[in-house]
């Protein structure tokens, strides 16, 4: 499928040569006219993918209770920033605020801030959390109050660079053109690009690096160094190894070069890189299912099930399984928390 962005990218490559995977992803996702996130609401059955908050209210409720408990354990600050990175339609934050109303003073003290670049998604978020404020980047989050932050499926959408191990050194995986002018993957030498990874890789292996991740994580860690916390949930694992860039359109995988700007592009998150950037303030990484079980999702699911029958009950049971079971999102998705220097971490983390 040729898209308007296909021609733009091909012209750029003809003029300047192959581009990095990170440049390709950035154009596909955020091009001001033809970018995936700038032109559509990608969530839900009518979109291209479904995130945990859209599967069940229980996901947001569990994270909300963890945040509220962390707020209480840290002295109930009378004003704090409750931020979310990449908040989708605002569903997660709406669930957090709803369950948070059971904790006296929590919602009243919270100033909701969304880090969101898409005007389309900002409008959707405003219908669910009308009192929110919006900023374009993490460093624009107000710094005049403690920060309590959520990031669900945010880091997986950050552009990554790919490096392939050669016999002696490394080569970068780039996007170029074949003889017919069609987009194709190509390699260019990148000596010393991935220091320290010869011991656990073989020739042909791919290692992915996310240029933006260390700075974002370091900024969050600095903001919660004295008081506050962050919960990060995403799909990935400890230490990048392998080609994980994928395209998804209408809930169906497709080749990553097939439809620039018309499909979602993501890559698995390297949780080791998050921990390394967190200045010693990161918890252990745990599977999403383990976190949700620690926070009481099964008890909550049983309570909600009491009023359900038939198809509604079946859907509820399926949602609980999808969020927690190791064969579904429960193991593929991981969670890590950032806390003040010396702790504590939010409930659910150790």
């Amino acid at each position: 499928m040729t898209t308007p962005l296909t021609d733009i990218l091909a012209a750029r490559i003809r003029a300047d040569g192959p581009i990095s995977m990170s440049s390709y992803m950035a154009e596909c996702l955020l091009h001001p006219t033809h970018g995936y996130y700038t032109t559509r609401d990608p969530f839900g059955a009518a979109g291209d993918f479904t995130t945990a908050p859209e599967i069940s209210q229980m996901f947001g409720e569990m994270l909300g209770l963890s945040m509220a408990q962390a707020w209480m354990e840290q002295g109930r600050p009378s004003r704090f920033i409750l931020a979310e990175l990449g908040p989708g339609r605002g569903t997660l934050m709406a669930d957090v605020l709803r369950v948070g109303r059971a904790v006296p003073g929590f919602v009243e003290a919270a100033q909701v801030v969304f880090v969101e670049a898409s005007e389309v998604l900002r409008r959707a978020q405003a219908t669910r959390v009308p009192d929110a404020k919006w900023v374009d980047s993490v460093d624009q989050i107000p710094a005049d109050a403690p920060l309590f932050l959520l990031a669900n499926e945010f880091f997986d959408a950050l552009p990554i660079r790919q490096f392939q191990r050669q016999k002696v050194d490394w080569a970068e995986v780039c996007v170029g053109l074949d003889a017919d002018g069609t987009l194709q993957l190509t390699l260019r030498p990148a000596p010393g690009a991935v220091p320290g990874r010869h011991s656990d890789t073989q020739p042909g292996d791919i290692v992915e690096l996310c240029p933006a991740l260390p700075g974002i994580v370091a900024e969050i860690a600095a903001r919660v160094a004295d008081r506050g916390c962050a919960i990060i949930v995403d799909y990935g694992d400890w230490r990048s190894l392998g080609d994980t860039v994928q395209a998804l359109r209408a809930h169906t995988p497709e080749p990553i070069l097939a439809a620039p700007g018309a499909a979602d592009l993501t890559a698995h998150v390297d949780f080791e890189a998050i921990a390394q950037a967190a200045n010693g303030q990161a918890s252990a990484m745990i599977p999403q299912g383990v976190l949700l079980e620690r926070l009481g999702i099964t008890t909550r699911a049983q309570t909600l099930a009491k009023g359900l029958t038939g198809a509604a009950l079946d859907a509820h049971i399926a949602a609980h399984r999808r969020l927690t079971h190791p064969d579904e999102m429960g193991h593929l998705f991981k969670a890590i928390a950032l806390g003040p220097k010396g702790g504590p971490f939010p409930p659910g983390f150790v």
Side-chain angles (χ1 to χ4, degrees):
M1 172 183 173
T2 299
T3 67
L5 194 55
T6 305
D7 296 332
I8 294 172
L9 290 168
R12 175 180 169 184
I13 293 168
R14 278 193 291 269
D16 301 326
I19 60 175
S20 67
M21 184 64 72
S22 63
S23 294
Y24 176 74
M25 290 181 68
E27 291 288 351
C28 289
L29 296 175
L30 298 173
H31 186 280
T33 305
H34 304 297
Y36 179 79
Y37 284 116
T38 54
T39 58
R40 71 199 69 211
D41 176 352
F43 297 94
D48 295 312
F49 58 86
T50 302
T51 60
E54 305 289 340
I55 293 170
S56 170
Q57 70 187 63
M58 295 184 292
F59 181 81
E61 289 174 345
M62 295 302 102
L63 297 192
L65 289 174
S66 181
M67 279 281 166
Q69 183 64 33
W71 172 76
M72 290 191 290
E73 291 175 356
Q74 296 192 41
R76 299 174 180 261
S78 59
R79 178 177 177 271
F80 70 98
I81 306 300
L82 182 58
E84 185 179 354
L85 309 185
R89 291 173 168 173
T91 304
L92 171 59
M93 185 60 73
D95 290 337
V96 168
L97 294 173
R98 187 186 65 256
V99 74
R101 291 189 179 93
V103 179
F106 177 74
V107 171
E108 292 76 8
Q111 170 60 67
V112 176
V113 175
F114 286 145
V115 179
E116 178 60 70
S118 167
E119 288 298 330
V120 173
L121 291 177
R122 284 188 180 196
R123 290 194 292 272
Q125 293 152 15
T127 65
R128 291 167 175 80
V129 190
D131 294 331
K133 295 184 178 180
W134 285 264
V135 297
D136 294 324
S137 59
V138 172
D139 59 5
Q140 294 177 358
I141 296 174
D144 58 347
L147 175 64
F148 291 73
L149 180 142
L150 294 166
N152 178 62
E153 290 200 56
F154 170 79
F155 286 93
D156 67 347
L158 296 179
I160 57 95
R161 297 176 70 181
Q162 286 188 325
F163 297 94
Q164 186 182 69
R165 168 85 182 274
Q166 307 297 295
K167 287 184 178 179
V168 177
D169 217 318
W170 297 88
E172 183 164 13
V173 180
C174 297
V175 179
L177 299 174
D178 65 14
D180 297 324
T182 302
L183 295 177
Q184 70 169 7
L185 296 180
T186 186
L187 294 174
R188 65 183 177 196
V194 192
R197 291 299 304 271
H198 274 71
S199 62
D200 67 334
T201 57
Q202 301 294 326
D205 285 348
I206 287 178
V207 171
E208 296 173 343
L209 303 179
C210 180
L213 183 149
I216 293 172
V217 173
E219 177 74 21
I220 296 169
R223 287 291 312 276
V224 304
D226 294 323
R227 188 157 63 161
C229 67
I231 296 176
I232 297 168
V233 182
D234 227 312
Y235 66 94
D237 215 326
W238 192 263
R239 185 168 299 176
S240 167
L241 183 62
D243 175 9
T244 72
V245 178
Q246 58 185 357
L248 198 66
R249 185 153 56 106
H251 299 268
T252 302
E254 67 178 27
I256 64 172
L257 303 181
D264 183 38
L265 289 177
T266 61
H268 285 206
V269 175
D270 182 350
F271 279 80
E272 181 183 44
I274 292 177
Q276 289 174 339
N279 195 28
Q281 296 166 230
S283 72
M285 179 191 78
I286 57 174
Q288 173 180 295
V290 171
L291 173 64
L292 295 176
E293 291 294 356
R294 287 179 179 176
L295 294 175
I297 191 172
T298 295
T299 299
R300 177 59 174 157
Q302 291 168 344
T303 299
L304 291 173
K306 291 178 181 178
L308 302 176
T309 58
L313 178 59
D314 291 342
H316 175 64
I317 293 171
H320 175 262
R321 175 185 169 84
R322 188 172 177 188
L323 291 174
T324 61
H325 197 278
D327 290 340
E328 301 204 34
M329 296 175 72
H331 183 74
L332 174 63
F333 282 72
K334 308 298 193 303
I336 197 169
L338 275 58
K341 291 182 178 179
F345 294 120
F349 297 90
V350 293

